[in-house]
Amino acid sequence: MERESVNAKFLMYVSPFTTRYEWKIFKSPWRLLCVLAIGFFMVMVELNQFLIINSFGIPNTSQFVVLRLVMAGLLSVPAIAEWYDYVEDVEKMSGRKEVRLGPSIWIMVCMIFVELAVTIKFFPNHMRDSLDKVGNPMYIPYNVLIPHLITLALVSLWAVLRYKVIGYNTIELATDKEQEVMTNIVSKTNKTLFSQNDQEMRVTKRKRFSNFMKLPFVLQRKVLMVELVDLLLFFAFLPMCYLFYIGWKWV
């Protein structure tokens, strides 16, 4: 029993490198939010590192800084694997069965919020004075706040268009001719481009373009509409790129 327990714990750390994960980020709003949650907690880990060394006057060369990053990195390996299993199980169960978070996720979340609470408690005065110099209630300079708000607005607009207005549900086959064309394209693609080794279709850009040109004009217009909506997501992050281009500073 002891040996099985050790092997199970070992596989918990190894499985994220040996198992194939398909997050399918844009499949649904739920999956998108779950992936964004990972990014949020990654930023929180980095932010806590900065706040801790400033709150307690710890030098950057201290061994504590390295050990904390190593500990957070090792803990994130099983936590990400458990989070992926949670996302998959929630989607498969669809409310039929209760799905629980894994222990590594709870440890990571508790660690992040305990560190945040400690840094708020011992927030250094020199950083507090710097925030007071900003001159607005959000403590964010306007030249930094406005690009972030523009990006947030464009991403929100993209999400509404993508999942509510012009999503993949827009591409509906309205006539028998459209149904016949799509059936022929799918059948030919499955015969020529289906790989039985990894059980997935590999469609080249040239093949996708030729398939697109075979579509009726109505379907071509619907496909282009969906692609243009996704292009909006690219433009949403241009204001953030502008901040890095001008070399922005917090104060």
Side-chain angles (χ1 to χ4, degrees), residues 91-123:
E91 206 170 59
K92 292 177 181 178
M93 297 303 175
S94 299
R96 296 191 302 269
K97 185 179 179 181
E98 183 180 358
V99 181
R100 298 183 178 181
L101 295 172
S104 298
I105 298 176
W106 285 114
I107 295 175
M108 177 68 78
V109 172
C110 291
M111 182 189 76
I112 291 173
F113 283 102
V114 167
E115 288 179 345
L116 185 61
V118 170
T119 54
I120 292 176
K121 174 67 175 178
F122 299 99
F123 200 72

Side-chain angles (χ1 to χ4, degrees), residues 171 212 219-230:
I171 308 177
F212 173 77
L219 281 180
Q220 287 183 357
R221 186 176 61 184
K222 292 179 180 179
V223 171
L224 287 175
M225 190 179 300
V226 173
E227 295 295 335
L228 287 175
V229 170
D230 288 340

Side-chain angles (χ1 to χ4, degrees), residues 107-172:
I107 295 175
M108 177 68 78
V109 172
C110 291
M111 182 189 76
I112 291 173
F113 283 102
V114 167
E115 288 179 345
L116 185 61
V118 170
T119 54
I120 292 176
K121 174 67 175 178
F122 299 99
F123 200 72
N125 292 327
H126 70 276
M127 294 183 66
R128 199 184 306 274
D129 295 337
S130 299
L131 292 177
D132 293 335
K133 294 179 182 179
V134 175
N136 63 63
M138 297 188 67
Y139 300 108
I140 302 176
Y142 288 112
N143 62 337
V144 177
L145 177 62
I146 293 176
H148 280 78
L149 292 179
I150 294 175
T151 297
L152 180 61
L154 291 177
V155 170
S156 301
L157 177 61
W158 167 84
V160 172
L161 293 175
R162 175 69 165 71
Y163 295 111
K164 292 295 183 180
V165 182
I166 317 180
Y168 288 117
N169 295 331
T170 305
I171 308 177
E172 297 178 354

Side-chain angles (χ1 to χ4, degrees), residues 44-231:
M44 289 299 298
V45 171
E46 293 293 330
L47 178 62
N48 285 346
Q49 179 83 8
F50 170 76
L51 293 176
I52 286 175
I53 63 177
N54 280 277
S55 297
F56 296 99
I58 302 174
N60 295 331
T61 56
S62 173
Q63 294 295 327
F64 168 80
V65 178
V66 178
L67 291 175
R68 181 191 172 278
L69 289 176
V70 171
M71 181 184 68
L74 292 176
L75 184 58
S76 66
V77 174
I80 293 294
E82 292 173 0
W83 182 247
Y84 178 83
D85 291 337
Y86 173 78
V87 173
E88 288 290 317
D89 292 341
V90 168
E91 206 170 59
K92 292 177 181 178
M93 297 303 175
S94 299
R96 296 191 302 269
K97 185 179 179 181
E98 183 180 358
V99 181
R100 298 183 178 181
L101 295 172
S104 298
I105 298 176
W106 285 114
I107 295 175
M108 177 68 78
V109 172
C110 291
M111 182 189 76
I112 291 173
F113 283 102
V114 167
E115 288 179 345
L116 185 61
V118 170
T119 54
I120 292 176
K121 174 67 175 178
F122 299 99
F123 200 72
N125 292 327
H126 70 276
M127 294 183 66
R128 199 184 306 274
D129 295 337
S130 299
L131 292 177
D132 293 335
K133 294 179 182 179
V134 175
N136 63 63
M138 297 188 67
Y139 300 108
I140 302 176
Y142 288 112
N143 62 337
V144 177
L145 177 62
I146 293 176
H148 280 78
L149 292 179
I150 294 175
T151 297
L152 180 61
L154 291 177
V155 170
S156 301
L157 177 61
W158 167 84
V160 172
L161 293 175
R162 175 69 165 71
Y163 295 111
K164 292 295 183 180
V165 182
I166 317 180
Y168 288 117
N169 295 331
T170 305
I171 308 177
E172 297 178 354
L173 305 178
T175 64
D176 294 337
K177 181 181 179 181
E178 294 176 359
Q179 179 69 47
E180 182 181 357
V181 171
M182 288 300 298
T183 302
N184 291 334
I185 291 176
V186 172
S187 61
K188 290 180 181 179
T189 303
N190 286 337
K191 289 179 182 179
T192 59
L193 299 171
F194 187 78
S195 175
Q196 295 182 352
N197 295 328
D198 50 8
Q199 298 297 311
E200 67 176 359
M201 288 190 302
R202 301 184 180 276
V203 185
T204 62
K205 292 183 179 180
R206 181 178 300 178
K207 187 66 178 179
R208 287 200 299 267
F209 180 76
S210 62
N211 288 340
F212 173 77
M213 297 305 296
K214 296 176 183 177
L215 296 175
F217 175 74
V218 176
L219 281 180
Q220 287 183 357
R221 186 176 61 184
K222 292 179 180 179
V223 171
L224 287 175
M225 190 179 300
V226 173
E227 295 295 335
L228 287 175
V229 170
D230 288 340
L231 190 62

